[in-house]
Amino acid sequence: MPPEAFDSTPGSARTPQGEALTEEKSPRDGAENTEDSGSKRGLSAFIKETAIVVVLSLIIATVVRIFLVQAFLIPSGSMEDTLLVGDRVLVSKISLRFGEVHRGDVVVFEDPNNWLGAQAPDDDTGVGAAVQEFFEFVGVLPDDSEEHLIKRVIGLGGDTVACCDESGRLTVNGEPVDETAYLFPGDSPSLKEFEETVPDGELFVMGDHRSNSGDSRIHGTFDEDLVVGRAFAVAWPISRWGSLSDDGAFDAVPAP
């Protein structure tokens, strides 16, 4: 009787009856493979969902910054004690799209005519600087750009702003203005006497820290189209949360 033939294929053999023999797998092996596959799919789905949420959040933040509200970092003491160095203020852009600038508003505006003088070049061009610029652009970080200023609006187009009257007060269109609500403690309304009529479409602004502010007393008025928005609140630090107001200081000022 001839010997029985065996299959030489690795991992299998044939019995004398010709049936293939295969490696037996336990039910546990299949369960582990299923669990591994499920875990990988779950991780992949989580990563995709997280990426979508992050991208959408950045898009929303960018739209808000461009059209609605932008945060700015206060770099100097010209608006003390209303705003301190390092404060983060929220600036409303939509208020100017559907309204007008008013006397007493604290506004952020583009440097009109080199008010800030020559700025030192920024030598930080590394990855960190690029990341910071990106997050400033999308609105995640406050803008610390040195190309903007923040001051309080004192006079609108047509107004006559003067200082000081016999009682040492600022006047607008001949009406004395009580500035005690925001003027830096110990400061007078102005150490420099002046009188200026604001051209139509322009603004006359001053810092609340009058003895430490380069403003319209020195540089003159500027086009109101340079205004980026109205600062309406201090957002950071938490200890300084609050809104910005003139407490009605200009309510009695008559039209020019």
Side-chain angles (χ1 to χ4, degrees):
M1 191 173 186
E4 297 293 339
F6 288 89
D7 190 348
S8 61
T9 303
S12 66
R14 290 194 176 274
T15 65
Q17 289 76 26
E19 296 178 353
L21 295 177
T22 58
E23 182 180 357
E24 184 179 0
K25 296 182 179 180
S26 69
R28 180 60 184 166
D29 293 335
E32 288 178 352
N33 291 338
T34 303
E35 289 175 1
D36 290 343
S37 177
S39 298
K40 291 178 180 178
R41 287 197 300 269
L43 179 60
S44 176
F46 173 76
I47 293 174
K48 289 180 180 179
E49 291 175 0
T50 301
I52 292 173
V53 170
V54 170
V55 171
L56 288 177
S57 297
L58 292 176
I59 292 173
I60 293 171
T62 301
V63 171
V64 169
R65 185 195 71 83
I66 294 175
F67 298 105
L68 302 177
V69 177
Q70 185 173 357
F72 281 86
L73 177 67
I74 302 301
S76 73
S78 68
M79 283 294 292
E80 294 175 336
D81 278 339
T82 303
L83 299 172
L84 304 181
V85 175
D87 281 354
R88 275 71 165 173
V89 296
L90 298 180
V91 175
S92 170
K93 295 183 175 182
I94 194 171
S95 62
L96 297 185
R97 296 179 184 275
F98 299 99
E100 299 177 347
V101 177
H102 299 92
R103 303 182 194 95
D105 284 350
V106 176
V107 296
V108 170
F109 55 97
E110 298 175 15
D111 189 346
N113 188 21
N114 203 31
W115 282 26
L116 294 168
Q119 300 295 305
D122 188 358
D123 297 329
D124 188 1
T125 57
V127 175
V131 172
Q132 179 177 342
E133 289 179 2
F134 170 75
F135 283 116
E136 286 179 0
F137 175 77
V138 300
V140 174
L141 292 178
D143 193 338
D144 63 354
S145 172
E146 295 183 350
E147 298 176 355
H148 293 81
L149 300 96
I150 184 166
K151 306 289 182 185
R152 188 179 298 274
V153 176
I154 303 298
L156 307 174
D159 286 344
T160 297
V161 183
C163 196
C164 301
D165 66 4
E166 294 180 354
S167 300
R169 295 170 298 183
L170 179 81
T171 65
V172 180
N173 299 334
E175 179 69 26
V177 179
D178 182 3
E179 300 187 279
T180 55
Y182 54 79
L183 202 61
F184 183 79
D187 268 9
S188 62
S190 180
L191 295 176
K192 174 186 176 181
E193 293 188 358
F194 65 89
E195 181 173 342
E196 183 168 352
T197 298
V198 183
D200 289 340
E202 299 195 1
L203 300 175
F204 188 100
V205 298
M206 299 171 73
D208 289 354
H209 194 173
R210 299 289 161 78
S211 61
N212 187 34
S213 176
D215 46 43
S216 291
R217 293 171 295 172
I218 300 171
H219 302 289
T221 60
F222 64 91
D223 194 319
E224 63 182 23
D225 287 341
L226 294 177
V227 175
V228 173
R230 179 179 63 84
F232 64 92
V234 177
W236 190 265
I238 296 177
S239 59
R240 288 185 43 74
W241 276 1
S243 60
L244 302 178
S245 170
D246 62 8
D247 284 354
F250 296 85
D251 289 351
V253 174

